[in-house]
Amino acid sequence: IKIAVLISGGGSNLQALIEASQSWEDLAEITLVVSSQEDAYGLQRARKYNIPTVVLSKKRYASAEEREQRLLDLLEEHSIDLMVLAGYLAMVPRRIVERYENRMMNIHPSLLPSFSGKGYYGIKVHEEALDRGVKVTGATVHFVNEITDGGPIILQKTIEVNFEDDALTLQKRVLEIEHEILPKAVKLFAEGKIEVINNKVKINGEVK
Ligand code: GRF
């Protein structure tokens, strides 16, 4: 399968996917990286592996319609089977969310549905978790639907929260989990082991 990864920033999740994909052989490959930001460091990461990159920024494409059409054309041209949002901070147009139903994944740095929805991204998620005094947090990979962070949950993994944690130490430990479960979810998808039944994900075979 052909995968497009959408980013906006550092791209550590993209890096984890690229590294995992080295052992995927012809099962799956990342054939396109799209960034919503001109200067996203993730673009450099993609270029190091000769993965085609495109910047769809407000700076380059004034109108949302232009950006949407360009993204649609790119997905078509690259015959993309799976879209992965990896720290992508722009909204995905509804038309694309619908076209890629259960073929677009997102990684969120909390155990959904906690600390989710508009405004919950990046460091803010961890600040809220610490404010609430949660004893465990973690990361979630889910399919994207029209509700922010609302799609079927694919994989989750927890970490213990220490009293001494601050948002940065927590973010660092959650990112490590993200880098583990996102490539795992993509591989399961590529192996055809993911089924969605009544908006819930059934994983066939072992989740090794
Ligand atoms: C991180 O906060 C991560 O939790 C979320 O998006 C942010 C960007 O991570 N998924 P990176 O660009 O993949 O390093």
Side-chain angles (χ1 to χ4, degrees):
I1 65 155
K2 296 186 181 310
I3 303 164
V5 183
L6 278 63
I7 61 168
S8 298
S12 71
N13 278 288
L14 168 65
Q15 184 69 32
L17 285 168
I18 292 172
E19 286 171 11
S21 71
Q22 304 307 304
S23 67
W24 290 345
E25 273 110 34
D26 51 6
L27 177 72
E29 68 172 310
I30 300 165
T31 57
L32 176 65
V33 168
V34 176
S35 174
S36 63
Q37 299 293 324
E38 308 272 327
D39 53 355
Y41 181 66
L43 290 166
Q44 313 299 340
R45 297 180 190 269
R47 288 170 190 147
K48 270 205 204 94
Y49 289 82
N50 302 319
I51 300 170
T53 59
V54 173
V55 174
L56 287 188
S57 61
K58 291 198 173 86
K59 212 165 105 186
R60 281 196 203 180
Y61 295 87
S63 81
E65 290 70 29
E66 266 180 280
R67 278 197 303 281
E68 175 173 342
Q69 193 51 54
R70 183 80 181 99
L71 182 52
L72 274 166
D73 296 345
L74 281 165
L75 296 168
E76 203 65 42
E77 283 155 31
H78 289 260
S79 346
I80 296 299
D81 304 299
L82 173 68
M83 293 174 71
V84 180
L85 309 182
Y88 187 65
L89 298 179
M91 289 311 290
V92 179
R94 170 178 288 272
R95 200 158 46 127
I96 297 176
V97 169
E98 286 166 359
R99 181 171 304 190
Y100 278 84
E101 184 181 16
N102 298 333
R103 298 192 297 147
M104 184 181 341
M105 294 183 183
N106 182 48
I107 174 84
H108 183 80
S110 75
L111 297 175
L112 294 183
S114 297
F115 310 112
S116 68
K118 293 216 181 326
Y120 279 101
Y121 58 86
I123 199 76
K124 171 139 174 61
V125 173
H126 306 295
E127 288 164 349
E128 293 297 316
L130 286 167
D131 271 359
R132 184 63 190 82
V134 299
K135 295 303 176 188
V136 289
T137 186
T140 303
V141 185
H142 62 97
F143 283 122
V144 174
N145 67 10
E146 64 289 347
I147 302 155
T148 304
D149 301 327
I153 290 172
I154 302 166
L155 289 179
Q156 294 186 301
K157 186 162 181 178
T158 62
I159 56 154
E160 311 269 318
V161 180
N162 311 315
F163 193 78
E164 308 70 35
D165 270 314
D166 63 23
L168 283 175
T169 57
L170 204 49
Q171 179 175 54
K172 186 172 172 302
R173 292 217 312 285
V174 171
L175 265 174
E176 284 164 16
I177 300 284
E178 294 177 45
H179 298 163
E180 197 188 314
I181 64 173
L182 185 56
K184 187 182 279 190
V186 170
K187 187 164 185 249
L188 287 168
F189 181 93
E191 290 167 335
K193 290 181 179 168
I194 293 180
E195 224 181 314
V196 181
I197 303 165
N198 298 330
N199 258 338
K200 290 177 186 45
V201 169
K202 179 172 179 283
I203 294 178
N204 300 304
E206 68 299 338
V207 181
K208 55 184 183 306

